[in-house]
Amino acid sequence: GQQVMQIPQYQHVQEGEDFTTYCNSSTTLSNIQWYKQRPGGHPVFLIQLVKSGEVKKQKRLTFQFGEAKKNSSLHITATQTTDVGTYFCAGLTGNQFYFGTGTSLTVIP
Amino acid sequence: GAVVSQHPSRVICKSGTSVKIECRSLDFQATTMFWYRQFPKQSLMLMATSNEGSKATYEQGVEKDKFLINHASLTLSTLTVTSAHPEDSSFYICSARAGTLRGYTFGSGTRLTVV
C-alpha cells in the first residue's frame, strides 16, 4: 500500500541551527504538501509543490520536490523557538492525500 | 478564508455511549471532507472520506458501522463514534479543501476520552 515515510522521527536542535526533514514515498506523487502541527494543535498548511524539481521558499523555510516526484524535503535555516512542532508531508496519489509519519522538532533556546 | 470549524474540542464519555463530532466549512462549500484519527506522537491516519449526498468511503480496517459518517450538506459532515470503548480514545480531526490550488484546512480536532 501507499507509504510516505519521513526521517528523522525526532530532531532536537540548538536555537540558530539548521533543520531538515525528508519525506519519501513508495510511489510517484502528483503533488506534495507540507503541514506544521504545534503541540496540542491541528495541522496547518504550509505549502504545496507540484512540479518535478520544484523549490519554494518561505522566509527561513525551503521546500523541495524531487525530480522523480517521490521525495521532498523541508529545510529550516537558523531555527527559532517558534519553529517547534511536528512537520508532516502529505503526498497526493490518485485522489488521496497520504500523510507522512512526521518529524517532531524541538528547539533548545 | 477557508475555515473549518470542529466541535466539540474535547469530550469525555462513558463506555458504551455514542459521541457525535461536527465539522463545518464556514466560508466555502466542501463536497468532500476527510476524517482522520491521530494517536499521541503519531501521524494522521485517514479514516474515511465523507461525500456530500452519498455514502462515505472508508479506509481499510475502519469499521463503518462503528464510525458513522453523515455529510448532509455542503458545509457539514458529522462523525459519530457508536458504542465507544476506551480503545476509541483518540484525537479525531476533519479536513476539507477550498480549492485544488489550496492545501487542506483542518478543523481544530476533537480529543475523545472514553472512560
Side-chain angles (χ1 to χ4, degrees):
Chain A
Q2 171 67 29
Q3 280 195 322
V4 181
M5 304 299 294
Q6 276 182 258
I7 54 170
Q9 186 176 1
Y10 300 99
Q11 184 79 62
H12 293 239
V13 300
Q14 205 75 35
E15 188 173 17
E17 291 182 340
D18 292 355
F19 158 77
T20 305
T21 172
Y22 300 90
C23 177
N24 294 289
S25 169
S26 56
T27 60
T28 301
L29 304 169
S30 301
N31 64 37
I32 197 156
Q33 297 178 350
W34 284 91
Y35 293 81
K36 177 183 179 181
Q37 184 176 23
R38 292 182 183 275
H42 60 277
V44 174
F45 173 72
L46 295 177
I47 206 160
Q48 176 173 275
L49 304 172
V50 179
K51 299 177 183 176
S52 169
E54 188 171 11
V55 178
K56 286 188 176 181
K57 290 190 176 185
Q58 288 180 350
K59 296 183 180 178
R60 295 179 294 105
L61 277 62
T62 302
F63 304 85
Q64 284 191 305
F65 199 8
E67 294 289 343
K69 301 183 79 172
K70 295 179 76 172
N71 55 68
S72 181
S73 66
L74 157 59
H75 179 82
I76 302 178
T77 305
T79 55
Q80 300 175 358
T81 54
T82 52
D83 295 326
V84 165
T86 301
Y87 292 84
F88 292 99
C89 62
L92 178 64
T93 301
N95 293 321
Q96 295 282 31
F97 266 100
Y98 293 92
F99 277 82
T101 46
T103 296
S104 177
L105 172 65
T106 300
V107 179
I108 305 164
Chain B
V3 177
V4 174
S5 175
Q6 185 174 343
H7 294 280
S9 57
R10 289 180 183 273
V11 58
I12 300 173
C13 70
K14 290 185 177 180
S15 190
T17 61
S18 296
V19 173
K20 180 184 282 189
I21 304 169
E22 290 190 350
C23 182
R24 292 180 185 272
S25 56
L26 296 187
D27 48 2
F28 66 101
Q29 293 183 334
T31 55
T32 304
M33 290 186 177
F34 303 89
W35 288 96
Y36 295 86
R37 183 173 182 177
Q38 186 177 36
F39 291 103
K41 300 186 186 298
Q42 293 189 24
S43 187
L44 293 92
M45 299 301 298
L46 179 65
M47 297 175 65
T49 302
S50 172
N51 304 298
E52 187 269 336
S54 65
K55 292 182 179 180
T57 305
Y58 290 82
E59 293 298 298
Q60 193 172 8
V62 178
E63 298 177 59
K64 61 180 181 181
D65 294 329
K66 180 167 185 61
F67 299 100
L68 299 178
I69 290 174
N70 185 290
H71 196 149
S73 76
L74 287 170
T75 59
L76 173 65
S77 176
T78 61
L79 167 67
T80 301
V81 183
T82 63
S83 186
H85 289 101
E87 57 265 32
D88 298 324
S89 298
S90 189
F91 188 60
Y92 294 87
I93 193 164
C94 65
S95 76
R97 202 175 189 191
T100 56
L101 296 180
R102 306 182 69 164
Y104 286 83
T105 302
F106 284 84
S108 52
T110 298
R111 189 159 303 282
L112 170 64
T113 303
V114 184
V115 298

